[in-house]
Amino acid sequence: MARVRIKRALSATSGTRAIGSPPLLYGMGPKVTYVPPPPPDAEDEIFRHYQTGINFDKYDEILVDVSGTNAPPAILSFEDADLSETLTKNVYKAGYVKLTPIQKHSIPIVMAGRDLMACAQTGSGKTAAFLLPILAHMMKSGIAASQFKEIQEPEAIIVAPTRELINQIYLDARKFSYGTVVRPVVIYGGTQTSHSLRQIFQGCNILCATPGRLLDVINKEKIGLSKVKYLVLDEADRMLDMGFMEDVRKLLSSPGMPTKEERQTLMFSATFPAPIQSLAREILKPDYIFVVVGQVGGACSDVEQQIIEVDEYGKRDKLLEILQSIGHERTMVFVKTKKKADFIATVLCQEKLPSTSIHGDREQREREKALHDFRSGQCPVIVATSVAARGLDIENVQHVINFDIPGDIDEYVHRIGRTGRCGNTGKAISFFDRKGDDEQKVVRGLVKILTDAHQEVPAWLEEIAFSAHGTQSYSSHPSKFASVDDRKASRGGFQEDNSYSGSSFTKAPAPAEEEEDWG
Ligand SMILES: Nc1ncnc2c1ncn2[C@@H]1O[C@H](COP(=O)(O)OP(=O)(O)OP(=O)(O)O)[C@@H](O)[C@H]1O
């Protein structure tokens, strides 16, 4: 069933619908018949992975801050992780030899039954940091094979904001649980609902879902929630902002959903603005643990960032010039609107640069085809809106180009994080039009992000940042260690580090639906 979302104006703090805003419409629009292709079955396809990069070992040098009482100590190796034999075998088959810092800390915390808010830079292995301990714990507790039934009762629910991302998480869950009785299932919008239901009926231990489709199947009473032990919000700050908070609240108050005391709630992201941390606390147990690897909202240090001043009219030529010099290296180009994504992709194709586009106006079939063409190298360039900014893990993306700079600094961090993953290096170029509204919104945050990542800050950009309107305090000094856990900040600790951010404190991110149909 297509889910038409209408621009919503929700109060981020209360989660209530603003007076006068239209209701959500379910079941409107043409009937969706798309059935996604089945996931790969061959073992070598399931375990296909790319190589860690030259900077993988440097992850160990990043400072880690763990806050919360009685946090279990970090583990140092997969051998210490107490995974089952099959799980350990799968981890090695997936090419994992050494834990990343977020994995070292999160695995024992989750296995000890604690709630967790975890923040670590893009591409540093957060997915395995929640999947592995959940799977290990499930297997230890002697989980029974899930049978064909018309109502399934999953033990874990994982939600993420976009269809492509949740599918990727599902493929990881399937890879790690290979050869075990655990059955992960994925459901997301833009596909036939009866297909989603059939997948669930066949057995479901871990349900990976976008929020809209999840609520659909809960409302149809095809999912029982009473056995849920784990609730994971990936890209948690996005899941708790205005675009999705109401869906999350509905999920939490659905019949049978265990209370926060009865379940384990895990939240992961590379960014976590302070106001969202406060919201997050409402759904975590009070003694949750907060792990920060590096800085909350810090950019991946393996991405070389460059800001180029170009006005709106010069962007097209500049893009062509850059792409022609790049050759056929895999590149993601981010633009502000869906129409522009198609337009730019068409222009590039006319210039003999094989390109495709992904955005919320494309049919799900087309979105998946676009990603497939990009992953396979058939189209080395993909032009995307924000729908592709978070989480996507695509091998060998060497460049990210922000044709339009996003109006939210956290979004910038996620976008450039599509390159420079897992210790590999990457380059991000952002066009900056000094007359642009979005540029004014992010300029201070941008200078801070560049400075903290030890990137060159152009003098003209610093000048604009100094004179930019807005009330956020601003420091160009790199902080050695930025915080962190908002609980500390409110007690007076780490105040200095929280001084930044184009996002923290003042921002409530715009509703996703204004621009996209995400879930
Ligand atoms: N310990 C490890 N050893 C080798 N490869 C790893 C390890 N952990 C994760 N990876 C690989 O690194 C890549 C990035 O991991 P992942 O997608 O989980 O990052 P992330 O932190 O969730 O990023 P994002 O913030 O963009 O969502 C994936 O290809 C994953 O398989």
Side-chain angles (χ1 to χ4, degrees):
M1 181 180 14
R3 181 166 191 241
V4 177
R5 286 173 182 259
I6 286 186
K7 180 179 173 180
R8 289 193 263 168
L10 297 176
S11 148
T13 46
S14 68
T16 52
R17 202 181 291 278
I19 294 167
S21 64
L24 287 184
L25 303 178
Y26 287 88
M28 301 290 287
K31 195 168 160 41
V32 175
T33 55
Y34 176 58
V35 173
D41 231 5
E43 200 176 315
D44 56 341
E45 275 293 302
I46 292 172
F47 287 97
R48 227 165 110 122
H49 59 271
Y50 61 86
Q51 298 304 313
T52 58
I54 47 165
N55 290 336
F56 188 84
D57 287 340
K58 287 200 190 150
Y59 282 151
D60 289 336
E61 293 163 19
I62 303 176
L63 288 167
V64 180
D65 186 52
V66 179
S67 45
T69 50
N70 298 324
I75 51 169
L76 295 176
S77 67
F78 281 111
E79 290 73 50
D80 300 339
D82 201 17
L83 307 175
S84 72
E85 207 185 307
T86 317
L87 209 49
T88 309
K89 236 179 20 200
N90 291 343
V91 161
Y92 291 131
K93 274 199 264 183
Y96 292 27
V97 178
K98 205 176 145 186
L99 292 157
T100 66
I102 195 65
Q103 293 162 359
K104 287 180 184 169
H105 288 270
S106 301
I107 291 174
I109 290 170
V110 178
M111 283 177 73
R114 302 288 297 271
D115 280 7
L116 174 64
M117 192 188 282
C119 197
Q121 69 180 45
T122 51
S124 65
K126 293 186 287 294
T127 316
F130 59 78
L131 283 178
L132 291 177
I134 290 176
L135 283 166
H137 198 255
M138 275 183 173
M139 305 200 40
K140 258 208 185 103
S141 59
I143 192 169
S146 160
Q147 310 276 329
F148 182 95
K149 264 191 288 181
E150 289 236 337
I151 297 182
Q152 292 289 336
E153 296 182 295
E155 286 85 2
I157 290 184
I158 301 171
V159 282
T162 67
R163 300 164 182 177
E164 291 75 18
L165 176 56
I166 200 65
N167 198 36
Q168 183 181 294
I169 294 169
Y170 158 72
L171 293 174
D172 273 344
R174 197 164 166 266
K175 166 172 81 183
F176 292 129
S177 60
Y178 186 76
T180 73
V181 295
V182 176
R183 189 178 137 82
V185 168
V186 67
I187 56 169
Y188 51 88
T191 61
Q192 200 182 66
T193 309
S194 55
H195 172 74
S196 294
L197 294 177
R198 276 196 304 277
Q199 298 307 304
I200 294 171
F201 294 161
Q202 285 167 38
C204 177
N205 300 108
I206 299 180
L207 183 59
C208 306
T210 49
R213 183 53 59 96
L214 179 60
L215 291 175
D216 277 354
V217 299
I218 291 172
N219 290 339
K220 287 187 164 62
E221 299 183 2
K222 300 301 179 191
I223 285 284
L225 299 172
S226 61
K227 294 213 176 123
V228 171
K229 288 196 186 70
Y230 302 97
L231 174 65
V232 182
L233 304 184
D234 194 27
E235 307 298 342
D237 53 331
R238 187 74 189 90
M239 297 308 307
L240 297 176
D241 77 18
M242 288 197 290
F244 288 107
M245 187 58 184
E246 190 179 87
D247 283 350
V248 172
R249 286 188 200 278
K250 278 186 189 154
L251 170 64
L252 297 176
S253 59
S254 293
M257 184 72 184
T259 62
K260 66 180 176 188
E261 284 73 27
E262 293 162 339
R263 64 168 193 260
Q264 213 178 325
T265 309
L266 314 174
M267 300 187 186
F268 283 77
S269 186
T271 52
F272 237 120
I276 304 284
Q277 285 187 37
S278 314
L279 280 178
R281 238 172 275 141
E282 287 176 28
I283 57 179
L284 291 164
K285 294 188 197 95
D287 69 343
Y288 73 90
I289 294 173
F290 192 169
V291 176
V292 181
V293 182
Q295 297 180 222
V296 173
C300 172
S301 44
D302 297 322
V303 181
E304 184 189 314
Q305 302 173 57
Q306 193 188 353
I307 314 293
I308 301 180
E309 192 178 0
V310 198
D311 67 18
E312 191 57 39
Y313 303 101
K315 287 179 176 180
R316 203 166 111 181
D317 287 348
K318 194 76 201 163
L319 177 68
L320 286 170
E321 181 192 317
I322 294 170
L323 289 177
Q324 266 141 10
S325 71
I326 281 172
H328 274 71
E329 292 179 352
R330 216 164 282 175
T331 304
M332 292 183 85
V333 178
F334 283 99
V335 296
K336 190 177 168 82
T337 66
K338 296 176 267 194
K339 273 197 187 121
K340 204 169 185 178
D342 284 339
F343 175 69
I344 298 291
T346 308
V347 168
L348 297 179
C349 288
Q350 283 164 352
E351 296 293 328
K352 309 260 176 302
L353 290 159
S355 306
T356 183
S357 70
I358 185 164
H359 56 73
D361 264 0
R362 299 203 78 183
E363 300 271 322
Q364 190 53 27
R365 184 193 307 275
E366 295 170 330
R367 280 166 65 156
E368 289 180 19
K369 168 93 169 60
L371 261 193
H372 174 269
D373 291 348
F374 183 57
R375 279 184 201 275
S376 68
Q378 203 172 323
C379 290
V381 179
I382 192 164
V383 188
T385 57
S386 303
V387 81
R390 285 180 179 251
L392 294 184
D393 182 55
I394 299 164
E395 179 172 8
N396 223 5
V397 174
Q398 278 148 316
H399 306 267
V400 168
I401 299 175
N402 281 312
F403 187 92
D404 296 318
I405 223 151
D408 174 291
I409 197 65
D410 287 341
E411 161 100 9
Y412 171 84
V413 168
H414 287 279
R415 282 186 185 183
I416 68 166
R418 295 318 97 214
T419 182
R421 299 178 70 75
C422 203
N424 292 287
T425 55
K427 289 185 182 157
I429 297 177
S430 302
F431 294 167
F432 192 99
D433 173 7
R434 64 169 70 214
K435 294 200 206 83
D437 289 343
D438 286 336
E439 278 81 347
Q440 290 295 325
K441 283 187 213 154
V442 294
V443 63
R444 293 180 172 201
L446 191 57
V447 169
K448 168 79 172 143
I449 292 282
L450 291 167
T451 310
D452 284 349
H454 306 289
Q455 302 290 303
E456 193 188 324
V457 183
W460 58 264
L461 189 72
E462 266 203 292
E463 254 169 51
I464 296 172
F466 272 119
S467 56
H469 33 262
T471 54
Q472 292 145 13
S473 58
Y474 165 65
S475 159
S476 62
H477 299 297
S479 46
K480 278 198 291 311
F481 186 82
S483 99
V484 314
D485 187 341
D486 192 42
R487 290 175 295 189
K488 280 184 187 174
S490 55
R491 278 182 230 123
F494 292 98
Q495 199 67 51
E496 167 218 320
D497 297 316
N498 267 332
S499 63
Y500 126 74
S501 140
S503 60
S504 299
F505 300 117
T506 52
K507 175 199 85 171
E513 291 68 24
E514 195 170 336
E515 174 59 21
E516 299 288 358
D517 186 0
W518 294 56

